[in-house]
Structure formats: structure tokens, C-alpha cells
């Protein structure tokens, strides 16, 4: 389920026109005794990547090859959990600001929930066929699907500049696909289906729930969507997996692990709420890109996935195109310059060439400094660049080829776990 759960957060990347405005909104400062925003960033990265890896391991490593039933279990757990949280905590108080009526529920929540369910099913089905690293590479094409859907729906006006940008991303994803050794057409189509369903869901939210009184954070969205999705998934599971479902597989996979898997997936939604509330749109965009790169690295390290040079170049092109699409030229240049200035200042301090300024000079220098939010964004940009350099060295220096299909490797790891 969680492969698509963080899309509410990553929507900042898919809609750069709202990201700029969001980045300019003042965010609450860190309260005395409160947690620093970096904690929420790391928590979201942790739960997002953990849930994807956990799902892959449960489906392909523990032998629970029922992705639709697994998604249904996640949604049933989320339905119960959100109902409990709504009655015992303040995490879902945002639902009180949503003017939900029976008509709105049937005309907006139900169709959006059905698309959400289809997206979740496809996102879990793909784990049967493709490696996590290649899945993340394909996900770089998500903005392309969103933009084309927005044009088809009439939400946005087509532009040559945006079209050339998405062609750049498509070219990178195409290269990554050509370089995939264990390519599966079924897995590719499931991933494309998941991206398309998610794009339609995001545009329908923009069209049907665009009013200020219908704004919902990821947890409130789950509160309304989970029951619809659960019912939909039960129907799909009956027609697709129920006839071959073996209850003994639950014991082999581990009932406790299934509960833990659902809890981790649900915690991703909770961490998404705090991330949106504690950081700016710019930081969220950079965090999403960093999260995807880290997930590729981690999956390669765990499953020894063989990444070819063509795949690496293709993913680098797609990621660069995604960053430009999300940030724009001005912010990209500003971040690049800021990273260079920060790195130079850090080097001068380490080298001992940094000398304190006089009080008058310090005041003048202070006036020209960037805001704290921009500084945090620049630091995140530096981290992204550093990670890209590290993964390049890892992929070209490790040379640990895979010895068989992805499913075979994961099954061996699961048996040894």
C-alpha cells in the first residue's frame, strides 16, 4: 500500500506551480523543546523506504504472493486505525474542516478512492516482476503522466517548454528500461498502470476537491478513502486471488510480520502529515528526490541488483529532468550557487582560513544572508549531490553482478532470514 501512500507528499514535485507558492509560505518555527524539522524529514524517508522494501520482501521473500490481499489488509488496518485515532487523538481534527456530505462522498470520494485502490494494487503487483531499483527508476516518469492528464482534463494549458522537459524525463526512463537485464513486460505495464491511475487520482482531487473547505492532509484523506478502497480491494481479491489463497501462507509469512507490515505502512501516512506541516515545499521536493535515490542504493545493496551503465545514465537524466521540472531554472541555479557558497565557507572553516568579522562588517554580512528555510534547502541540495556522487562510485566500483532473476535472489534471502 505504501508505495503510493507518500504520493500526497510527493505531489509537491508533480505540481511545481503550487510548490513555489507553498515554499514562500511561512512555516512554524521550531518550538522550544520541540523536534527539529530534520527529524520529520528523516522519519518520512525512513518509513517511506522501509515500507516499500518491506512490501517487496513480504511478497517476494516471505512467499506471500498475494499483492491484492496484502493491499486489502493494509487498507482494513488503516480503516480501523484512523477510526481509533479520530476518537482518541487530535491527529485527525482536520476532518472537522472538511464539508463532507453524502453527495460529495459519492461523486468525489468514491471515484477517487477507486483510482487510489487501483494505484495501490498495481504498485504492489509490480513487486512480483521487477526489482525495487528499477521500479523507482520508472517512477521518475510520474510527472509526465500527471502533466499529460492535466492537459487532457483541461486543468493546465499545454506549453512547449514543459513538453520538452517531460520528453527529457521520458528519454531518461527509456534508457533505464533499455538497460534493465531482468525486464518484465507484465511488471512494466503494472507500473505504468499504477502511475496512470495515480495521475488521474491527483487531477481528480484538483478538480473535485479544490475548495478551501475540502483540503485534506494524507491522514484525513486515508480516513475517507480507506473504507472505499478496502471494499474495492475485497471485490478484486475475490475475483483474482481468493481461489488460490492458502491460509498456510499466512503462517509461513508470519502473522506478526503482516501486522508489523501494516503498522509500518500506516506510520508512513502519519509521518507524511508531520512532514507537510513542518517543512516548506522546496525542502519536501528535495527530500522526495533524495528519498528515491537512497531507495535505489539500498535496494541494490540488499538484493545485489545488477545496475548497468545505461540504467545509471538513464536514471541520472530522468532525476535531473525531475529536479528541473520540480524546481525550475531560477531555483536550480540559486540552489547550485548556494551549495557552492556553503561548501566554500565550510572548506574555509576547516582549513582555518575563516576569520571572525568585525561587528560592523558582521552586520552588513548578516543583511545579505539567505533566510534559514533557504539555507536548509541548500543543505538538502548538497546532500543530494553528495549521494549522487557516492552512488556513482558504488555502482561503478562494486561490480557485484546478480546471479539470477530478482525473485530467486529474494527468495533465497527470505529462506535464510
Amino acid at each position: 500500500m505504501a508505495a503510493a501512500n507518500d504520493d500526497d507528499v510527493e505531489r509537491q514535485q508533480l505540481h511545481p506551480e503550487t510548490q513555489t507558492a507553498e515554499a514562500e509560505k511561512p512555516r512554524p518555527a521550531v518550538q522550544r523543546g520541540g523536534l527539529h524539522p530534520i527529524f520529520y524529514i528523516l522519519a518520512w524517508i525512513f518509513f517511506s523506504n522501509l515500507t516499500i522494501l518491506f512490501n517487496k520482501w513480504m511478497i517476494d521473500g516471505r512467499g506471500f504472493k498475494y499483492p491484492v490481499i496484502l493491499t486489502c489488509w493494509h487498507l482494513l488496518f488503516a480503516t480501523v486505525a484512523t477510526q481509533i485515532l479520530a476518537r482518541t487523538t487530535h491527529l485527525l481534527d482536520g476532518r472537522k474542516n472538511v464539508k463532507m456530505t453524502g453527495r460529495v462522498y459519492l461523486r468525489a470520494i468514491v471515484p477517487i478512492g477507486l483510482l487510489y485502490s487501483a494505484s495501490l494494487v498495481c504498485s504492489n503487483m509490480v513487486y512480483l516482476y521487477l526489482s525495487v531499483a528499477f521500479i523507482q527508476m520508472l517512477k521518475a516518469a510520474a510527472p509526465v503522466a500527471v502533466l499529460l492528464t492535466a492537459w487532457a482534463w483541461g486543468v493546465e494549458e499545454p506549453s512547449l517548454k514543459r513538453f520538452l522537459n517531460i520528453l527529457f524525463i521520458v528519454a531518461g526512463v527509456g534508457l533505464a528500461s533499455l538497460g534493465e537485464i531482468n525486464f518484465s513486460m507484465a511488471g512494466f505495464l503494472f507500473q505504468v498502470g499504477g502511475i496512470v491511475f495515480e495521475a488521474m487520482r491527483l487531477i481528480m482531487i484538483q478538480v473535485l476537491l479544490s475548495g478551501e473547505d475540502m483540503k485534506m492532509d494524507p491522514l484525513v484523506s486515508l480516513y475517507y478513502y480507506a473504507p472505499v478502497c478496502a471494499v474495492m480491494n475485497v471485490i478484486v481479491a475475490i475475483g483474482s486471488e481468493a481461489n488460490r489463497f492458502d491460509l498456510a501462507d499466512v503462517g509461513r509469512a508470519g502473522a506478526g510480520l503482516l501486522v508489523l507490515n501494516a503498522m509500518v505502512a500506516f506510520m508512513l501516512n502519519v509521518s507524511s502529515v508531520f512532514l507537510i506541516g513542518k517543512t516548506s515545499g522546496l525542502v519536501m521536493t528535495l527530500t522526495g528526490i533524495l528519498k528515491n535515490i537512497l531507495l535505489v542504493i539500498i535496494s541494490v545493496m540488499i538484493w545485489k541488483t545488477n545496475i548497468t551503465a545505461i540504467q545509471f545514465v538513464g536514471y541520472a537524466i530522468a532525476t535531473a529532468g525531475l529536479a528541473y521540472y520540480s524546481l525550475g531554472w531560477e531555483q536550480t541555479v540559486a540552489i547550485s550557487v548556494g551549495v557552492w557558497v556553503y561548501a566554500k565557507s565550510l572548506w574555509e572553516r576547516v582549513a582555518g582560513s575563516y576569520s571572525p568579522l568585525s561587528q560592523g562588517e558582521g552586520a552588513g554580512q548578516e543583511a545579505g544572508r539567505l533566510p534559514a528555510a533557504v539555507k536548509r534547502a541548500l543543505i538538502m541540495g548538497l546532500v543530494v549531490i553528495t549521494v549522487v556522487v557516492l552512488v556513482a562510485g558504488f555502482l561503478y566500483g562494486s561490480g557485484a553482478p546478480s546471479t539470477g532473476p530478482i525473485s530467486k535472489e529474494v527468495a533465497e534471502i527470505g529462506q535464510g532470514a
Side-chain angles (χ1 to χ4, degrees):
M1 156 178 163
N5 279 347
D6 51 355
D7 287 319
D8 288 302
V9 174
E10 293 180 330
R11 198 181 308 161
Q12 298 289 335
Q13 299 177 29
L14 306 181
H15 297 284
E17 67 280 357
T18 61
Q19 182 268 334
T20 303
E22 185 71 17
E24 295 174 354
K25 292 181 181 180
R27 294 286 180 173
V30 180
Q31 300 178 355
R32 295 182 181 275
L35 296 174
H36 193 277
I38 192 65
F39 171 82
Y40 302 104
I41 293 173
L42 294 176
W44 179 71
I45 292 176
F46 173 78
F47 283 111
S48 178
N49 288 351
L50 177 62
T51 309
I52 292 173
L53 295 171
F54 204 164
N55 283 355
K56 172 68 174 177
W57 184 62
M58 290 297 296
I59 292 172
D60 216 353
R62 298 295 295 184
F64 195 79
K65 297 184 180 296
Y66 309 104
V68 178
I69 293 177
L70 183 64
T71 306
C72 186
W73 160 237
H74 286 175
L75 292 167
L76 289 172
F77 184 92
T79 300
V80 175
T82 51
Q83 293 294 327
I84 294 174
L85 289 179
R87 290 162 173 75
T88 59
T89 70
H90 297 288
L91 289 175
L92 281 154
D93 284 354
R95 76 188 194 283
K96 299 176 182 177
N97 300 322
V98 178
K99 295 183 178 179
M100 186 60 61
T101 63
R103 185 170 181 268
V104 171
Y105 194 88
L106 290 176
R107 296 190 62 180
I109 299 299
V110 170
I112 292 173
L114 294 179
L115 290 172
Y116 189 31
S117 177
S119 173
L120 293 176
V121 170
C122 288
S123 297
N124 276 345
M125 287 291 293
V126 73
Y127 293 134
L128 290 171
Y129 304 96
L130 301 177
S131 68
V132 173
F134 185 44
I135 291 171
Q136 292 306 118
M137 294 179 188
L138 292 177
K139 282 185 178 181
V144 177
V146 174
L147 189 59
L148 293 178
T149 305
W151 288 350
W153 213 286
V155 175
E156 292 187 19
E157 291 294 329
S159 68
L160 179 61
K161 181 179 178 182
R162 299 284 286 278
F163 181 70
L164 293 176
N165 191 178
I166 64 174
L167 281 183
F168 192 76
I169 298 174
V170 169
V173 174
L175 271 180
S177 301
L178 288 175
E180 173 64 17
I181 296 175
N182 298 307
F183 182 84
S184 168
M185 180 56 70
F188 178 80
L189 293 177
F190 273 123
Q191 184 58 55
V192 171
I195 290 175
V196 171
F197 285 131
E198 181 62 17
M200 294 174 63
R201 182 182 81 94
L202 294 177
I203 298 303
M204 285 191 69
I205 289 175
Q206 187 176 347
V207 173
L208 300 178
L209 301 177
S210 58
E212 287 296 327
D213 56 348
M214 297 304 296
K215 298 289 185 182
M216 293 184 283
D217 63 48
L219 205 55
V220 174
S221 298
L222 193 65
Y223 174 83
Y224 287 112
Y225 296 138
V228 177
C229 294
V231 172
M232 175 64 181
N233 276 31
V234 167
I235 296 174
V236 174
I238 291 174
S240 61
E241 295 179 350
N243 59 339
R244 60 183 179 86
F245 177 70
D246 185 358
L247 192 59
D249 287 335
V250 175
R252 283 189 287 268
L257 283 176
L258 286 170
V259 173
L260 181 61
N261 182 236
M263 290 176 63
V264 170
F266 184 74
M267 284 302 300
L268 172 57
N269 290 279
V270 177
S271 64
S272 298
V273 173
F274 287 105
L275 178 70
I276 291 174
K278 299 293 183 179
T279 61
S280 67
L282 178 59
V283 172
M284 288 161 61
T285 297
L286 294 173
T287 301
I289 296 173
L290 172 63
K291 186 266 297 183
N292 291 336
I293 294 174
L294 285 175
L295 185 55
V296 171
I297 298 173
I298 294 171
S299 64
V300 168
M301 295 174 65
I302 293 176
W303 289 298
K304 307 297 181 185
T305 308
N306 189 20
I307 304 295
T308 64
I310 295 178
Q311 274 188 292
F312 178 78
V313 172
Y315 186 52
I317 291 174
T319 302
L322 176 60
Y324 179 78
Y325 177 88
S326 304
L327 302 174
W329 175 252
E330 293 182 0
Q331 283 190 338
T332 302
V333 172
I335 290 176
S336 301
V337 172
V339 168
W340 167 253
V341 172
Y342 180 82
K344 182 179 179 182
S345 173
L346 187 62
W347 170 258
E348 290 176 350
R349 293 185 185 185
V350 173
S353 60
Y354 178 81
S355 58
L357 299 173
S358 62
Q359 184 174 0
E361 293 174 329
Q365 190 72 284
E366 183 69 27
R369 289 181 178 175
L370 294 172
V374 177
K375 287 182 179 180
R376 290 195 295 269
L378 297 180
I379 294 173
M380 290 297 299
L382 178 61
V383 171
V384 171
I385 293 174
T386 303
V387 170
V388 171
V389 173
L390 289 175
V391 69
F394 174 79
L395 293 179
Y396 283 106
S398 61
S402 61
T403 57
I406 295 298
S407 59
K408 179 180 178 182
E409 293 174 357
V410 181
E412 291 174 352
I413 293 174
Q415 290 170 3

